[in-house]
Amino acid sequence: MKMKRRDIIEKAMKVLKYIEENPNTYLRDISRALGINPATVHRILKELTPFLEFTSVNDQLKGVELPNLPTFIRLKEGYTVEGILKYLKVKEKLNFL
């Protein structure tokens, strides 16, 4: 079953707000807390990548790669949920022109 555009937008808003309130969270935590399927959260995060900062524990361990560690997610410096949502609304309107 394909999700409606409105449902996707609502879920994206919830994900953004959760990340803003819980910086350095990770995908599985977002999924559990909001009750959204991890695959859906992943798709939403891919769309929101320009506004997010991803940090892996591997980034901090110089030269050591450990598998299956979570990647921490937070909003990039200077971005707010309200600002991101305004931008996305304007972008969506421009796509209809």
Side-chain angles (χ1 to χ4, degrees), residues 9-23:
I9 291 169
E10 284 181 24
K11 288 180 181 183
M13 286 177 19
K14 288 180 183 180
V15 168
L16 278 171
K17 287 180 183 179
Y18 186 84
I19 293 170
E20 184 176 54
E21 294 169 1
N22 301 280

Side-chain angles (χ1 to χ4, degrees), residues 27-73:
L27 187 145
R28 186 161 293 187
D29 192 38
I30 297 167
S31 174
R32 287 181 186 148
L34 300 177
I36 301 173
N37 184 299
T40 302
V41 173
H42 185 263
R43 283 193 304 275
I44 290 169
L45 292 175
K46 279 180 63 176
E47 290 298 319
L48 298 174
T49 295
F51 311 105
L52 302 175
E53 186 175 298
F54 298 89
T55 307
S56 171
V57 173
N58 285 332
D59 294 343
Q60 298 169 5
L61 302 172
K62 306 287 187 231
V64 179
E65 285 289 321
L66 300 174
N68 300 321
L69 292 178
T71 299
F72 297 101
I73 307 161

